[in-house]
Amino acid sequence: MLRRHRQIRMQVHQLMDACVFALSFWLAYLVRSNISLAAEFGIRLDPVSPFEDYVWLYLILIPVSPLVLEAQGYYNRPLLCSRRTTLWQLFKGCFATAFGLVLVLFFFRMQIARSVVIWFGIISFCLLYAKEELARMALQSKLGQAQHRRRIILLGTKEELVQMREEFRINAHENEIVADLDLNETTVPKLIWALHEHSANGVLLGAKHTFFDQIELVIRACETEGVEVWLVADFFTTQISRTSFDDFYGRPVMVFRTTPEASWQSVIKQVVDLVGSFVLMITFSWLFLLFGLLIRLTSPGPVFFRQQRSGLNGKPFTIYKFRTMVTNAEQLKHELAAMNEMTGPVFKVSNDPRITPMGKFLRKFSIDEWPQLYNVLRGEMSLVGPRPLPVDEVKRFNDLAHRRRLSVKPGLTCLWQVSGRNNLSDFRDWVRLDLEYIDNWSLWLDFKILWRTIPVVLAGTGAK
């Protein structure tokens, strides 16, 4: 994992842990202040001061508690280290935090029941360990591994490959080696085939300066594909990629990327995707049931349409939509090939005879796309991003530069939909807008696209 990714992960965990410590102190106070419950067990407790008298302690507790854990090496350990190591570091961290709380209370001469501090230490330890177990379960799950493990192609000399394999073996839970290629024997077409075949997220390139010619060809091929290159070297000028210096488990690397780099904005985007899709699915669940019922009553066949689409870096996933066509629509598609109104590999037809009467209404207001909120919730799509294309259409790209639109997660809405929607007839214009989005991405741009999508969808502008 690159240093920047490790730093963002550490900061996210520090923020979560600070919240856990704050919650633990409040729960400890509640436990101690429940005098009636203690009386049932024959324990007599004196009343404690109102909690508002201790709220100011959060000004110290929230920023300091993660630093105490960091001092124990808690955030530098491997993601799936032994439970014994985790328990020991958490015990030391929670004990030191509770002891520090005692010192603060003594220094400011505040009276608070000692049992509050004891309960605080116990509750914070239990909640933090529960959080760690949940994170471990998520990372070890099939869906978690699919979302968080990077699919890496190793490329270098035979000597370099041996060393890189050993480094990846130590961190196998974070990365998956999908192929390792000898730089002396690998041609650019062979590398491109491997990128497509394995839906690789990155290429780790290790080579000496005598192989600069081959390295440059590899970098140019990867930047065309929108795939990150981690070069265990330096010194190359690129046409599209933004270059940054990082380290890969201590080894200096140059990162050539054409996609937005990891940042707090990207973390917030993921949170917005997760929370937004969940809230929208719950809010409009009754409409899902209503439209599902109408589809079944007006047209024989299933409610949902499922299809393999190309996701991040071309990895196939199953997209969900409300069915708007007759059940044999795919079989009839070749009969309408001559009516295709889009140049390039994409198929679009106005007044498509395969569309059902109910389907016309669903398409006009993009209601057929609503089930893709489930894809967003699964992490396969985003609320904003290039629209996902069927796998067979992606395979027919006649310009490899078009694959760079696959370098970010596909989305429910995109710049294309708010800049002409289906009125665009040239696939190159579609790709141009998608690449414009990728090259200029920001959280603010996502919010603007979401805002502009609302009137476009409500008016049914450009729908087919």
Side-chain angles (χ1 to χ4, degrees), residues 149-153 176 178 192-202 225 227 310-317 403 406:
R149 290 184 72 187
R150 282 181 169 268
R151 299 177 300 279
I152 307 298
I153 293 177
E176 176 186 3
V178 294
I192 292 176
W193 177 87
L195 292 173
H196 296 180
E197 181 67 16
H198 302 289
S199 301
N201 299 123
E225 294 274 337
V227 176
S310 292
L312 182 62
N313 298 121
K315 184 179 181 181
F317 73 98
R403 284 188 61 92
L406 304 174

Side-chain angles (χ1 to χ4, degrees), residues 184-197:
N184 293 315
E185 302 173 358
T186 302
T187 61
V188 170
K190 183 178 179 180
L191 171 62
I192 292 176
W193 177 87
L195 292 173
H196 296 180
E197 181 67 16

Side-chain angles (χ1 to χ4, degrees), residues 71-108:
Q72 308 300 322
Y74 182 70
Y75 299 111
N76 293 326
R77 62 196 170 85
L79 284 176
L80 297 178
C81 69
S82 68
R83 287 184 170 87
R84 177 181 297 180
T85 300
T86 300
L87 285 168
W88 178 238
Q89 290 179 337
L90 279 177
F91 174 79
K92 291 190 296 181
C94 293
F95 178 82
T97 304
F99 184 73
L101 186 60
V102 171
L103 294 179
V104 170
L105 293 171
F106 176 78
F107 180 80
F108 288 98

Side-chain angles (χ1 to χ4, degrees), residues 35 55 63 102 185 194 203 228 248 259 291 295 309 322 338 350 377:
I35 299 176
V55 169
V102 171
E185 302 173 358
V203 174
E228 286 189 7
F248 189 78
T259 55
F291 288 122
I295 292 170
R309 297 284 178 101
F322 281 129
S350 297
L377 192 62

Side-chain angles (χ1 to χ4, degrees), residues 44 89 123 133 135 152 170-171 183 194 240 254-255 257 260 263 323 331 334 345 363 372 402 409:
R44 296 183 61 184
Q89 290 179 337
I123 293 174
E133 282 300 309
I152 307 298
I170 300 173
N171 301 281
L183 187 61
I240 305 172
M254 293 290 290
V255 181
R257 64 164 56 86
S263 64
R323 183 175 59 85
Q331 289 75 18
H334 70 278
R363 286 190 168 214
Q372 290 162 41
H402 291 170
K409 280 185 181 180

Side-chain angles (χ1 to χ4, degrees), residues 289-324:
L289 294 174
L290 174 62
F291 288 122
L293 180 62
L294 290 174
I295 292 170
R296 289 300 297 268
L297 292 176
T298 57
S299 173
V303 171
F304 296 105
F305 170 73
R306 299 173 177 85
Q307 187 181 50
Q308 287 289 294
R309 297 284 178 101
S310 292
L312 182 62
N313 298 121
K315 184 179 181 181
F317 73 98
T318 302
I319 198 173
Y320 295 88
K321 302 177 68 173
F322 281 129
R323 183 175 59 85
T324 59

